[in-house]
Amino acid sequence: MAAAVHKLLHPHHPNGEPPPQSNEPPTSPQNRQDLASMEYAREEEKRILAHWEEHKRPLSPGQITEDASRKIVGHSSTVLRQEDFELIKTLGTGTFARVWLVRLTNPQDGDRNKVFALKILRKVDVIRLKQVEHVRNERNVLAAVAGHPFITTMVASFQDPDSLYMLLDYCPGGEVFSYLRRARRFNEPTSQFYAAEIVLILEFLHEKEGVAYRDLKPENILIDAEGHLKLVDFGFAKKVENRETYTLCGTPEYLAPEVIRNTGHGTAVDWWAFGILVYEFLVGQPPFWDQNPMKIYEQIVEGRVRFPSAMSPEARDLISGLCTVDTSKRLGNIKGGAGAVKAHPWFRHIDWEALYNRKIQGPIVPHLRGPADTRNFDEYEPEPEGREPYSQDMREKWEDCFKDF
Amino acid sequence: MSLPPDYSNEISALNREILKAQPSDVLQFCANFFLRRLESQRAEFLLSQQHSSQRGGGMAESTFPGSNPFGTSPSGGLSTSGMHRLEEEEENDAIASPTAASFPRSDMDNTQAHSDTFGNFAGFQASANRSQAPKAQLPSAVGGVDPQSFPSNYNLNRRTSVSAESLNPTSSLHDNWVPPFHQKTSEQQSRLKAAVAGNFLFSHLDDEQSALVLGALQEKPIPTKGIKVIQQGDVGDYFYVVENGNFDIYVNKSGKLEAGPEGLGRKVGSVGPGGSFGELALMYNAPRAATVVSTEQSTLWALDRVTFRRILMDSAFQRRRMYEGFLEEVQLLSSLTPYERSKIADALETRKYPAGTTIIKEGDVGESFFILETGEAEVYKRGNDKPVNRYKKGDYFGELALLNDAPRAASVISTTEVKVATLGKDGFQRLLGPVEGIMRRNDPSKVAALDDGVDPLAKAR
């Protein structure tokens, strides 16, 4: 156990000093020995968590896809517990999850300002809302993609009897959604910058990981301290590779026609949603909208996008290419994949290499008082009391599904 | 005369605010709320004016002065260096400025977004009153639309994700799910067909899917008046078509049915024979947007989401696997990867021809290739009275059209009603590029061999 933990904690220090306990002969009863080494492992793990960012640099797509055990982040921790984190403030809520800004409890000197986002999912809610499969997909995809410069990094995941936890990097800039609504719409260069970073994300997810993200929208795109994007909430992400999938999921205004018609869908749905996103950046609202969601879907299946007269011809051409009902004609899905999107004239000013390496200054760099500043996040109501408990029956039926978490 | 929808939106937003804040001074709170709304709406209006007058110079640029790497020279390349400290501070000031004036935070409450999007009744009775649908708003020309003509009441809140049950296709032959089937008279059948014809969820179905879906509709007698078939705010699992009788539709502004005599809310319409309601339930589980109550003894047809989506999924799944299987047999495409095959299978289009149709004609320039899905066809060559070959299920023809523009080497005529899957050269090249490139992957000599005049049409298979 201790050896395994040690290996986990020192993947980049193969010759690092082993924990003192493990080499000493047992001087105490076995379980106290185990407890002590467990405690040691916890403290050691917390210490490494506090410093993981110092080792962070954009990995190349090839490096990210290599053996996950060699990465310093994205592992399933057997020692961490909720008590290791102090909950500071709610950053967001979903139907069955709540994301908190947290810091380490009893941090070592100098680690006091190291903060994270902790996504907490109650098992009972996950089961009740039939999201077990989606949550497993989320953890596995996040573990696989950890290290990409524009995707939230899952530093570790762990669980206790009631809940599942994903420890994520904190993105202090808040949601692109908030900036967009405040500005009403983005101008072309701002839209191009953000759109281009999204293209790099989709290129990676589709072509390196075989993953369809399935919930692209401004609410799920955060801005980090340096002004770059981070895609968050992989609740609907799924490794599809060359098989189509059928479960309807996403956000009404962003659903692709093939999702609505249930004819089977794949990564092409992200390119459709990307077209909607670029449109919303430039116009301030998505192209298909009605008070009645069924009317939205009717418009989507018809697929006729109207453009404001002020929109540039290149932007129109890009959006038309992406929001094409026929997937065999949809930009991003046709030959060339993401490369064809990158080659589109609307992106002609983008230096893709520099962009991937975070060398291009973003249009919005959040003003922050410190790493734990939460001014860019909205206030959320406190968690309701008296929630349904995770019963013994449920545990017996479902616990196995969570065993790898 | 009904209240304008903008007004209802404002009032329901105010209701939510009141519920949340529980203010002691209600009047003051309302006054503040409306002032804030007015301010924000005026600000947005000014911004949109600004946007349309100064082309390319949008809001983000003016809010974040100098912070934009593209800002100074929009047509130039990207600056890879950092920006000046001074500019950064200016920008920071802009961002740190209070947002309340232009964007009320309370409007962004996540938990409320849902009811705002779905609680509104504006288009609920779409299928009952289809002719009045606000489709007329859409101008016929694509593009060139003035931004001001966009609906100004767009919901600016965070949008909630939706998800249906996770469904996996019936994959093995042993686990064959069969959709429920409820016998109907031919009059009932045609009435049902007509009732759902205008609904886009049904209009895309092919004949087989349509038959399965209509077969799955189950009769639901409503013995008396006053029965609430669906209740506003409840989970929605069923879609209903009215066979006979009549129903009233009520909406309570609170977003759900409440107790007491006024609990139904306001009556917004009614639906009679041939009408339908609750179609959103066929997509995912969203709260019902209205309460529907019988006004007399009635009969409904009901269809649940899982059955509906499963019928669509299984038929799509089977068709794709069948197409992939057919494609595997096509020699010309033998070097396709499974991923590429699945893309082509996705792009194949189904067409039906009656018996005696000339599907391809000798001497014509070939555009598409075909796989025979059902039925039979014969191959004729000029100068031969008798067919030189016969095609049955799974046979393919015309694939040389993917490779070159050579004229068709023979004619193919259906002898029964046939269903074919077809894809044009354009479509193929769009997805995977030229076929030559794909063939060269394995064996460069193959292309040469084909150029030498191997004619798959003529070969006996």
Side-chain angles (χ1 to χ4, degrees), chain A residues 58-103:
Chain A
L59 298 175
S60 72
Q63 286 170 308
I64 299 167
T65 49
E66 75 188 12
D67 186 11
S69 63
R70 292 182 55 197
K71 289 200 275 197
I72 62 164
V73 290
H75 66 281
S76 168
S77 170
T78 51
V79 292
L80 289 175
R81 300 180 210 156
Q82 188 182 325
E83 300 86 80
D84 292 325
F85 302 95
E86 176 196 339
L87 307 182
I88 305 171
K89 185 187 181 220
T90 298
L91 299 172
T93 61
T95 36
F96 55 97
R98 186 169 272 256
V99 182
W100 290 87
L101 178 68
V102 299
R103 70 164 67 90

Side-chain angles (χ1 to χ4, degrees), chain A residues 4-51:
Chain A
V5 170
H6 178 249
K7 195 170 155 231
L8 203 68
L9 290 169
H10 296 271
H12 55 297
H13 293 301
N15 302 319
E17 260 185 55
Q21 289 98 326
S22 59
N23 278 354
E24 283 167 17
T27 54
S28 52
Q30 187 59 39
N31 61 352
R32 209 198 308 163
Q33 159 82 30
D34 280 357
L35 265 179
S37 66
M38 183 75 121
E39 277 312 303
Y40 178 82
R42 266 177 85 188
E43 286 312 311
E44 184 64 8
E45 175 137 4
K46 283 166 71 178
R47 192 184 64 75
I48 288 180
L49 291 180
H51 294 275

Side-chain angles (χ1 to χ4, degrees), chain A residues 183 215 217 250 292 297 333 365, chain B residues 59 91 123 161-162 284 343:
Chain A
D215 204 12
K217 57 176 167 178
N292 175 355
Y297 303 137
N333 191 50
V365 180
Chain B
M59 173 59 199
E91 172 221 4
S161 305
V162 295
Y284 45 83
K343 282 206 139 167

Side-chain angles (χ1 to χ4, degrees), chain A residues 93-95 130-131 133-134 175 177-179 181-190 192-193 215 217-220 236 238 241-244 246-255 259-265 267 279-280 282-286 289-295 297-298 301-302 304-313 316 326-329 332-335 349-351 354 359-367 375-381, chain B residues 9 20 44 47-48 51 55-56 58-61 64 67-70 74-83 91-92 95-96 99 102-103 105 108-111 116-118 120 122-124 126 130 133-135 137-140 142-147 149-151 153-167 169 198 200-201 204 279-280 283-284 309 312-313 316-317 320-321 324 338-339 342-343 346-347 427 429-434:
Chain A
T93 61
T95 36
K130 304 181 178 130
Q131 298 295 317
E133 206 49 48
H134 284 159
E175 296 166 8
F177 173 85
S178 305
Y179 295 94
R181 287 292 180 268
R182 220 174 289 157
R184 185 77 169 95
R185 53 179 75 88
F186 292 151
N187 61 11
E188 284 227 346
T190 301
Q192 278 157 350
F193 177 87
D215 204 12
K217 57 176 167 178
E219 291 91 325
N220 284 344
F236 294 149
K238 183 181 181 186
E241 287 169 325
N242 53 30
R243 261 296 155 87
E244 77 279 6
Y246 291 88
T247 304
L248 183 150
C249 59
T251 295
E253 289 93 320
Y254 280 77
L255 291 180
V259 176
I260 295 166
R261 291 175 52 187
N262 214 33
T263 51
H265 64 265
T267 52
Y279 188 101
E280 186 168 333
L282 291 168
V283 177
Q285 67 183 60
W289 193 74
D290 194 282
Q291 300 268 2
N292 175 355
M294 287 308 280
K295 291 256 159 244
Y297 303 137
E298 205 171 341
V301 175
E302 208 175 304
R304 228 151 42 89
V305 181
R306 302 185 303 140
F307 298 103
S309 49
M311 195 187 286
S312 72
R316 285 178 203 216
D326 183 347
T327 52
S328 76
K329 296 179 181 157
N333 191 50
I334 54 175
K335 184 176 161 37
H349 301 308
I350 303 287
D351 174 348
K359 287 185 181 143
I360 299 183
Q361 177 80 54
I364 299 167
V365 180
H367 177 69
R375 73 169 72 185
N376 294 307
F377 286 85
D378 291 315
E379 297 293 329
Y380 288 87
E381 291 181 44
Chain B
N9 285 345
K20 209 165 75 180
E44 266 169 28
L47 284 172
S48 63
H51 185 81
R55 197 185 150 89
M59 173 59 199
E61 205 163 56
F64 313 116
S67 66
N68 195 313
F70 314 82
S75 54
L78 285 171
S79 146
T80 50
S81 61
M83 54 190 184
E91 172 221 4
N92 290 341
I95 287 180
T99 58
S102 64
F103 195 72
R105 292 193 149 228
M108 297 167 61
D109 188 345
N110 194 28
T111 55
D116 205 45
T117 312
F118 298 113
N120 196 297
F124 183 83
R130 190 149 283 277
K135 244 190 189 163
Q137 285 174 4
L138 297 181
S140 52
V142 173
V145 177
D146 190 76
S149 73
F150 278 80
N153 57 345
Y154 181 69
N155 173 12
L156 293 169
N157 295 344
R158 282 202 180 76
R159 292 153 293 198
T160 313
S161 305
V162 295
S163 158
E165 295 76 5
S166 147
L167 284 182
F200 73 92
L201 282 178
H204 287 285
E279 57 265 71
L280 187 57
M283 298 201 51
Y284 45 83
R309 300 200 73 80
L312 267 54
M313 173 181 69
F317 181 82
R320 279 181 188 247
R321 298 294 88 79
E324 285 171 12
Y339 176 67
S342 116
K343 282 206 139 167
D346 183 31
Q429 295 204 345
R430 255 195 328 264
L431 285 166
L432 302 182

Side-chain angles (χ1 to χ4, degrees), chain A residues 339-357:
Chain A
V341 182
K342 288 159 93 171
H344 190 277
W346 196 63
F347 287 122
R348 67 180 172 277
H349 301 308
I350 303 287
D351 174 348
W352 295 97
E353 186 67 27
L355 189 74
Y356 185 88
N357 290 300

